[in-house]
Amino acid sequence: MLTLSWTRPVVDAGQECGGGPTRENLWQALLHKAQFPVDYVPAITECRIAEWYADGFLREIRRGDQTFLQRVTPQESAGRITYRHLDDTDIAEIRNEIGEDDRGRLTLTLSITLTERPAAAILAQNTYLRDLDCDFHGTLEAMTQVLHRVMMGSAADAATTTAPHGPQGQ
């Protein structure tokens, strides 16, 4: 799967001197947005909460001429709300995450994770992304093999194993 994300401060530079929102204020606003997205997301024209759960809710949204079913899971301790699409759509998941930039300002990160179908199409059309994807898949494979051995108590084996290093491997 392929994930794209965008991050920006919640307040603009000109608004900073007013004290700004707190993490709690932002969290409450994100919860409100999850339940009433029409007020926040121009593309969503309708929303209905279909069911409530101990850890979130199921909502039906209308975007253009399409209707989507999303499982919404707020995680306050992580500052994250996850929207998992339950329909056959190009988007598997959307996340809203609270963060902080290097100046200490609250940020909001909007991330989308594409399903395999559009991710494969994007990678097929873009050599740079395809090479990057291949490199990091290889890096992840090497990392997980070593991590597995370490978790299984083979720390000595892990210390002698070489994994990708340098600018290509992380």
Side-chain angles (χ1 to χ4, degrees):
M1 291 201 213
L2 184 63
T3 299
L4 304 169
S5 69
W6 301 266
T7 301
R8 66 164 286 147
V10 177
V11 293
D12 292 327
Q15 300 172 317
E16 290 179 33
C17 44
T22 65
R23 186 177 181 86
E24 178 60 27
N25 295 144
L26 181 52
W27 178 251
Q28 291 304 317
L30 285 176
L31 287 175
H32 189 265
K33 180 189 121 358
Q35 294 176 45
F36 304 98
V38 174
D39 297 335
Y40 298 85
V41 182
I44 297 177
T45 57
E46 294 176 37
C47 177
R48 179 180 72 83
I49 307 293
E51 196 169 341
W52 289 92
Y53 307 102
D55 66 342
F57 54 93
L58 184 68
R59 76 180 191 178
E60 184 180 86
I61 61 166
R62 184 145 188 86
R63 182 180 172 116
D65 61 350
Q66 295 181 306
T67 300
F68 300 102
L69 202 55
Q70 295 175 321
R71 177 68 163 90
V72 181
T73 309
Q75 297 169 288
E76 185 173 8
S77 61
R80 177 178 49 239
I81 300 178
T82 304
Y83 305 82
R84 286 190 180 80
H85 282 251
L86 303 180
D87 305 299
D88 182 28
T89 176
D90 286 348
I91 298 174
E93 182 178 280
I94 298 171
R95 285 183 311 281
N96 294 172
E97 290 186 68
I98 299 172
E100 205 173 279
D101 68 9
D102 56 355
R103 294 174 48 195
R105 297 179 300 180
L106 288 173
T107 60
L108 178 62
T109 298
L110 170 63
S111 302
I112 62 169
T113 300
L114 301 175
T115 59
E116 291 299 326
R117 184 177 57 239
I122 289 168
L123 293 174
Q125 295 172 10
N126 187 305
T127 358
Y128 173 75
L129 288 178
R130 185 174 52 248
D131 291 348
L132 197 61
D133 181 63
C134 184
D135 177 44
F136 278 91
H137 265 106
T139 299
L140 183 59
E141 176 65 26
M143 287 170 46
T144 54
Q145 287 177 13
V146 174
L147 288 168
H148 182 262
R149 284 196 296 274
V150 169
M151 290 185 315
M152 299 308 291
S154 302
D157 291 342
T160 61
T161 302
T162 57
H165 294 98
Q168 299 295 315
Q170 300 296 323

